[in-house]
Amino acid sequence: MDRNLAPWQKRDGPMYLSEKRLLNRLVERGVSTPEDLAEDRFRENVIRLQCRLLARVGAVVEVAEDTFEATASGEAIFTEEGCSPWFSGEDLVVDEELCVSDWRLTDFSKLDPTDIKQINLQFFEDPENDYRILDESPAYTRRKILGATDWKLNRLLRESPRTESLSQQCAHWMRAFAGIHTFPDANHRTGMASLYGLLKQNDVDFPDEEWPGNHIERAVLHSKIIRGLHSNVKYNFRNFLLDCENRLPMKPTLEQLRSVINHGRENGF
Protein backbone atom coordinates (compact mmCIF):
# COMPACT_ATOMS: atom_id res chain seq x y z
CA MET A 1 0.00 0.00 0.00
CA ASP A 2 1.28 3.46 -0.94
CA ARG A 3 2.04 5.66 2.03
CA ASN A 4 1.52 9.39 1.77
CA LEU A 5 2.04 12.51 3.78
CA ALA A 6 -0.89 14.73 4.62
CA PRO A 7 -1.20 17.84 2.40
CA TRP A 8 -0.04 20.24 5.12
CA GLN A 9 3.10 18.13 5.62
CA LYS A 10 4.25 18.84 2.07
CA ARG A 11 4.79 22.53 2.74
CA ASP A 12 7.37 23.90 5.13
CA GLY A 13 6.30 26.87 7.17
CA PRO A 14 5.98 28.33 10.64
CA MET A 15 2.21 27.72 10.84
CA TYR A 16 2.50 23.95 11.19
CA LEU A 17 3.80 21.50 13.78
CA SER A 18 4.98 18.04 12.84
CA GLU A 19 3.01 15.22 14.49
CA LYS A 20 5.98 14.31 16.69
CA ARG A 21 6.40 17.88 17.89
CA LEU A 22 2.66 18.07 18.57
CA LEU A 23 2.72 14.77 20.44
CA ASN A 24 5.69 15.96 22.49
CA ARG A 25 3.72 19.05 23.49
CA LEU A 26 0.86 16.86 24.68
CA VAL A 27 3.28 14.71 26.67
CA GLU A 28 4.75 17.78 28.36
CA ARG A 29 1.50 19.65 29.00
CA GLY A 30 -0.98 16.89 29.68
CA VAL A 31 -4.64 17.33 28.76
CA SER A 32 -5.00 20.07 26.12
CA THR A 33 -7.33 21.34 23.44
CA PRO A 34 -6.22 22.20 19.88
CA GLU A 35 -6.71 25.85 20.79
CA ASP A 36 -4.29 25.42 23.73
CA LEU A 37 -1.73 23.74 21.52
CA ALA A 38 -2.06 26.33 18.75
CA GLU A 39 -1.01 29.21 21.05
CA ASP A 40 -2.27 31.68 18.42
CA ARG A 41 0.79 30.69 16.36
CA PHE A 42 -0.10 27.44 14.65
CA ARG A 43 -3.07 26.30 12.61
CA GLU A 44 -5.76 25.15 15.04
CA ASN A 45 -7.80 23.33 12.37
CA VAL A 46 -4.77 21.28 11.36
CA ILE A 47 -3.85 20.51 14.98
CA ARG A 48 -7.36 19.17 15.53
CA LEU A 49 -6.97 16.86 12.51
CA GLN A 50 -3.52 15.78 13.68
CA CYS A 51 -4.87 14.90 17.13
CA ARG A 52 -7.60 12.77 15.56
CA LEU A 53 -5.05 10.97 13.41
CA LEU A 54 -2.77 10.40 16.40
CA ALA A 55 -5.77 8.98 18.27
CA ARG A 56 -6.30 6.44 15.51
CA VAL A 57 -2.78 5.06 15.97
CA GLY A 58 -3.19 4.93 19.75
CA ALA A 59 -0.75 7.75 20.56
CA VAL A 60 -3.47 10.10 21.81
CA VAL A 61 -6.89 9.71 23.41
CA GLU A 62 -9.80 12.17 23.28
CA VAL A 63 -10.73 12.52 26.95
CA ALA A 64 -13.56 15.01 26.32
CA GLU A 65 -15.05 16.93 23.41
CA ASP A 66 -12.12 18.45 21.49
CA THR A 67 -9.74 17.70 24.39
CA PHE A 68 -6.80 15.31 24.05
CA GLU A 69 -4.15 13.58 26.13
CA ALA A 70 -1.08 11.54 25.17
CA THR A 71 -1.32 7.81 25.96
CA ALA A 72 1.43 5.60 27.35
CA SER A 73 2.02 4.38 23.78
CA GLY A 74 2.36 7.97 22.64
CA GLU A 75 4.88 8.75 25.36
CA ALA A 76 6.83 5.59 24.51
CA ILE A 77 7.47 6.87 20.98
CA PHE A 78 10.09 9.21 22.47
CA THR A 79 11.99 6.37 24.14
CA GLU A 80 14.57 4.12 22.50
CA GLU A 81 12.13 1.23 22.49
CA GLY A 82 9.23 3.30 21.24
CA CYS A 83 9.79 3.47 17.49
CA SER A 84 6.50 3.47 15.61
CA PRO A 85 5.75 2.16 12.10
CA TRP A 86 3.25 5.00 11.74
CA PHE A 87 5.95 7.66 11.62
CA SER A 88 8.38 8.66 8.90
CA GLY A 89 10.80 10.95 10.66
CA GLU A 90 8.79 13.74 12.30
CA ASP A 91 5.62 13.14 10.29
CA LEU A 92 2.77 10.70 10.67
CA VAL A 93 2.29 8.56 7.58
CA VAL A 94 -1.31 8.86 6.37
CA ASP A 95 -2.78 5.96 4.40
CA GLU A 96 -6.09 4.17 3.96
CA GLU A 97 -5.83 2.47 7.35
CA LEU A 98 -6.34 5.84 9.01
CA CYS A 99 -9.42 6.79 6.98
CA VAL A 100 -12.73 6.85 8.85
CA SER A 101 -14.91 5.99 5.88
CA ASP A 102 -14.74 5.14 2.20
CA TRP A 103 -17.51 7.69 1.60
CA ARG A 104 -15.47 10.88 1.57
CA LEU A 105 -13.90 13.51 -0.66
CA THR A 106 -10.54 12.41 -2.02
CA ASP A 107 -9.94 14.72 -5.01
CA PHE A 108 -9.49 18.46 -4.42
CA SER A 109 -7.37 18.99 -7.54
CA LYS A 110 -10.14 20.37 -9.77
CA LEU A 111 -10.78 23.42 -7.60
CA ASP A 112 -8.35 26.32 -7.30
CA PRO A 113 -8.44 29.93 -6.03
CA THR A 114 -9.42 31.26 -9.46
CA ASP A 115 -12.46 28.96 -9.55
CA ILE A 116 -13.54 30.07 -6.07
CA LYS A 117 -13.20 33.76 -6.99
CA GLN A 118 -15.34 33.22 -10.09
CA ILE A 119 -18.05 31.58 -7.96
CA ASN A 120 -18.13 34.62 -5.68
CA LEU A 121 -18.10 36.96 -8.69
CA GLN A 122 -21.18 35.20 -10.07
CA PHE A 123 -23.07 36.00 -6.87
CA PHE A 124 -21.94 39.63 -7.19
CA GLU A 125 -23.04 39.91 -10.83
CA ASP A 126 -26.39 38.12 -10.40
CA PRO A 127 -29.09 40.80 -9.88
CA GLU A 128 -31.26 38.28 -8.05
CA ASN A 129 -28.63 37.88 -5.31
CA ASP A 130 -28.08 40.39 -2.53
CA TYR A 131 -24.43 41.43 -2.40
CA ARG A 132 -22.98 44.18 -0.21
CA ILE A 133 -21.30 46.91 -2.28
CA LEU A 134 -18.16 48.40 -0.75
CA ASP A 135 -17.99 52.21 -0.58
CA GLU A 136 -21.00 52.32 -2.90
CA SER A 137 -18.66 51.35 -5.73
CA PRO A 138 -19.38 48.20 -7.79
CA ALA A 139 -16.03 48.60 -9.57
CA TYR A 140 -14.12 48.67 -6.27
CA THR A 141 -16.11 45.70 -4.96
CA ARG A 142 -15.30 43.73 -8.11
CA ARG A 143 -11.59 44.50 -7.70
CA LYS A 144 -11.71 43.30 -4.10
CA ILE A 145 -13.30 40.01 -5.21
CA LEU A 146 -10.75 39.32 -7.94
CA GLY A 147 -7.92 40.54 -5.71
CA ALA A 148 -8.69 38.11 -2.88
CA THR A 149 -5.46 36.54 -1.66
CA ASP A 150 -4.73 33.19 -3.25
CA TRP A 151 -2.73 31.92 -0.27
CA LYS A 152 -5.78 31.91 2.00
CA LEU A 153 -7.80 29.88 -0.49
CA ASN A 154 -4.87 27.55 -1.20
CA ARG A 155 -4.50 27.02 2.54
CA LEU A 156 -8.17 26.11 2.77
CA LEU A 157 -7.73 23.45 0.07
CA ARG A 158 -4.47 22.17 1.57
CA GLU A 159 -5.87 21.87 5.09
CA SER A 160 -9.13 20.16 4.16
CA PRO A 161 -9.24 16.71 5.79
CA ARG A 162 -8.75 13.73 3.48
CA THR A 163 -9.32 10.98 6.05
CA GLU A 164 -12.55 12.15 7.77
CA SER A 165 -16.08 11.10 6.93
CA LEU A 166 -18.03 13.06 4.32
CA SER A 167 -20.19 14.87 6.89
CA GLN A 168 -17.10 15.95 8.85
CA GLN A 169 -15.41 17.13 5.65
CA CYS A 170 -18.45 19.21 4.66
CA ALA A 171 -18.71 20.76 8.12
CA HIS A 172 -14.96 21.49 8.19
CA TRP A 173 -15.10 23.16 4.76
CA MET A 174 -18.01 25.43 5.66
CA ARG A 175 -16.61 26.40 9.06
CA ALA A 176 -13.18 27.14 7.61
CA PHE A 177 -14.56 29.03 4.61
CA ALA A 178 -16.81 31.21 6.76
CA GLY A 179 -13.92 31.75 9.15
CA ILE A 180 -11.40 33.11 6.64
CA HIS A 181 -14.08 35.44 5.22
CA THR A 182 -12.07 36.20 2.08
CA PHE A 183 -14.68 38.08 0.07
CA PRO A 184 -16.65 41.31 0.70
CA ASP A 185 -19.89 39.30 0.84
CA ALA A 186 -21.48 35.92 0.00
CA ASN A 187 -18.73 33.95 1.76
CA HIS A 188 -21.20 31.35 3.06
CA ARG A 189 -22.88 31.07 -0.34
CA THR A 190 -19.50 30.74 -2.05
CA GLY A 191 -18.44 28.11 0.46
CA MET A 192 -21.58 26.10 -0.19
CA ALA A 193 -21.35 26.45 -3.97
CA SER A 194 -17.68 25.40 -4.02
CA LEU A 195 -18.48 22.50 -1.70
CA TYR A 196 -21.27 21.45 -4.05
CA GLY A 197 -18.72 21.46 -6.89
CA LEU A 198 -16.30 19.32 -4.88
CA LEU A 199 -19.03 16.81 -4.16
CA LYS A 200 -19.99 16.60 -7.83
CA GLN A 201 -16.33 16.18 -8.87
CA ASN A 202 -16.00 13.31 -6.42
CA ASP A 203 -19.16 11.63 -7.79
CA VAL A 204 -21.07 12.04 -4.54
CA ASP A 205 -24.80 11.55 -5.06
CA PHE A 206 -27.18 14.06 -3.51
CA PRO A 207 -30.44 13.15 -1.74
CA ASP A 208 -32.34 15.29 -4.26
CA GLU A 209 -31.95 18.33 -6.48
CA GLU A 210 -32.97 20.69 -3.68
CA TRP A 211 -30.21 19.61 -1.27
CA PRO A 212 -29.59 21.17 1.16
CA GLY A 213 -32.69 23.32 0.65
CA ASN A 214 -33.16 26.23 3.06
CA HIS A 215 -31.19 24.47 5.79
CA ILE A 216 -27.97 26.18 4.71
CA GLU A 217 -29.65 29.61 4.62
CA ARG A 218 -30.82 29.14 8.19
CA ALA A 219 -27.32 27.97 9.19
CA VAL A 220 -25.76 31.03 7.52
CA LEU A 221 -28.06 33.47 9.33
CA HIS A 222 -27.48 31.77 12.68
CA SER A 223 -23.70 31.80 12.22
CA LYS A 224 -23.65 35.48 11.22
CA ILE A 225 -25.57 36.39 14.35
CA ILE A 226 -23.17 34.32 16.48
CA ARG A 227 -20.13 35.88 14.79
CA GLY A 228 -21.47 39.34 15.54
CA LEU A 229 -22.25 38.65 19.17
CA HIS A 230 -19.34 36.42 20.20
CA SER A 231 -15.60 36.77 19.75
CA ASN A 232 -15.07 32.99 19.72
CA VAL A 233 -16.58 31.65 16.48
CA LYS A 234 -17.47 27.97 16.79
CA TYR A 235 -20.56 27.07 14.77
CA ASN A 236 -21.81 23.58 14.05
CA PHE A 237 -22.83 23.36 10.40
CA ARG A 238 -23.07 19.58 10.68
CA ASN A 239 -26.58 19.64 12.19
CA PHE A 240 -27.94 21.55 9.21
CA LEU A 241 -26.09 19.55 6.58
CA LEU A 242 -27.49 16.38 8.12
CA ASP A 243 -31.04 17.81 8.28
CA CYS A 244 -31.22 17.98 12.06
CA GLU A 245 -32.72 21.45 12.41
CA ASN A 246 -35.77 19.98 14.16
CA ARG A 247 -33.56 19.43 17.21
CA LEU A 248 -33.27 23.15 17.85
CA PRO A 249 -35.18 24.29 20.95
CA MET A 250 -36.27 27.46 19.09
CA LYS A 251 -36.78 27.86 15.37
CA PRO A 252 -37.31 31.47 14.30
CA THR A 253 -38.34 32.12 10.72
CA LEU A 254 -35.77 33.11 8.11
CA GLU A 255 -37.39 36.55 7.94
CA GLN A 256 -36.86 37.01 11.69
CA LEU A 257 -33.22 35.97 11.41
CA ARG A 258 -32.67 38.39 8.51
CA SER A 259 -34.25 41.21 10.50
CA VAL A 260 -31.79 40.56 13.36
CA ILE A 261 -28.86 40.72 10.93
CA ASN A 262 -30.11 43.93 9.30
CA HIS A 263 -30.82 45.58 12.65
CA GLY A 264 -27.32 44.71 13.83
CA ARG A 265 -25.70 46.09 10.67
CA GLU A 266 -27.61 49.35 10.99
CA ASN A 267 -26.44 49.74 14.59
CA GLY A 268 -22.76 48.88 14.24
CA PHE A 269 -23.13 45.07 14.65
Side-chain angles (χ1 to χ4, degrees):
M1 179 180 294
D2 293 334
R3 293 196 151 199
N4 303 299
L5 297 175
W8 62 79
Q9 296 170 331
K10 299 175 184 177
R11 176 186 174 92
D12 294 330
M15 295 187 298
Y16 304 102
L17 287 165
S18 70
E19 280 75 38
K20 273 200 173 178
R21 286 181 63 197
L22 175 62
L23 182 58
N24 189 53
R25 283 180 171 231
L26 272 171
V27 170
E28 292 177 345
R29 301 182 181 195
V31 177
S32 304
T33 67
E35 183 179 7
D36 297 331
L37 297 164
E39 297 182 329
D40 293 326
R41 295 175 54 207
F42 303 103
R43 299 290 302 140
E44 182 182 339
N45 276 341
V46 171
I47 287 176
R48 182 172 291 104
L49 294 174
Q50 289 173 301
C51 285
R52 290 178 180 172
L53 289 171
L54 287 167
R56 286 175 208 159
V57 301
V60 161
V61 62
E62 187 168 9
V63 295
E65 179 69 24
D66 208 32
T67 306
F68 300 89
E69 182 179 23
T71 63
S73 298
E75 294 183 20
I77 289 173
F78 296 97
T79 68
E80 293 182 4
E81 302 82 18
C83 58
S84 170
W86 293 104
F87 282 88
S88 175
E90 289 286 308
D91 297 311
L92 188 70
V93 176
V94 180
D95 59 24
E96 288 296 320
E97 293 179 59
L98 296 185
C99 295
V100 171
S101 168
D102 290 335
W103 198 43
R104 68 186 197 280
L105 301 175
T106 58
D107 184 5
F108 291 76
S109 65
K110 297 176 183 177
L111 188 70
D112 61 27
T114 300
D115 297 327
I116 297 173
K117 292 178 188 179
Q118 287 300 316
I119 291 172
N120 188 266
L121 187 63
Q122 288 175 14
F123 286 117
F124 167 70
E125 294 178 338
D126 186 349
E128 295 185 1
N129 274 285
D130 292 329
Y131 199 106
R132 182 166 60 93
I133 304 301
L134 299 178
D135 295 338
E136 300 183 357
S137 171
Y140 175 63
T141 305
R142 182 186 179 90
R143 289 198 301 273
K144 292 293 287 184
I145 294 170
L146 296 177
T149 50
D150 285 359
W151 68 266
K152 284 187 178 181
L153 298 171
N154 276 320
R155 189 181 72 192
L156 177 70
L157 290 162
R158 183 173 65 251
E159 294 179 0
S160 292
R162 268 59 168 183
T163 59
E164 301 295 317
S165 65
L166 182 64
S167 61
Q168 290 285 350
Q169 287 179 316
C170 291
H172 178 101
W173 180 269
M174 287 302 301
R175 181 179 183 274
F177 206 103
I180 63 173
H181 216 263
T182 301
F183 300 104
D185 199 4
N187 287 279
H188 295 81
R189 284 171 280 172
T190 304
M192 195 65 205
S194 56
L195 175 60
Y196 190 93
L198 282 171
L199 293 169
K200 295 287 283 187
Q201 291 163 10
N202 281 266
D203 298 321
V204 175
D205 293 327
F206 300 95
D208 55 61
E209 290 299 321
E210 298 300 320
W211 183 88
N214 65 3
H215 303 317
I216 190 62
E217 185 176 3
R218 184 179 297 277
V220 166
L221 292 171
H222 270 282
S223 68
K224 283 184 175 180
I225 292 171
I226 291 172
R227 189 179 69 235
L229 296 176
H230 298 276
S231 61
N232 187 14
V233 180
K234 291 185 182 297
Y235 188 75
N236 188 358
F237 279 91
R238 186 171 181 271
N239 287 343
F240 290 92
L241 293 170
L242 297 181
D243 192 16
C244 298
E245 65 170 348
N246 58 338
R247 298 181 186 176
L248 293 174
M250 296 179 62
K251 193 166 69 174
T253 66
L254 296 179
E255 289 72 22
Q256 289 171 325
L257 291 172
R258 290 193 199 96
S259 70
V260 172
I261 292 291
N262 292 332
H263 176 77
R265 285 173 174 169
E266 291 169 2
N267 292 274
F269 187 58

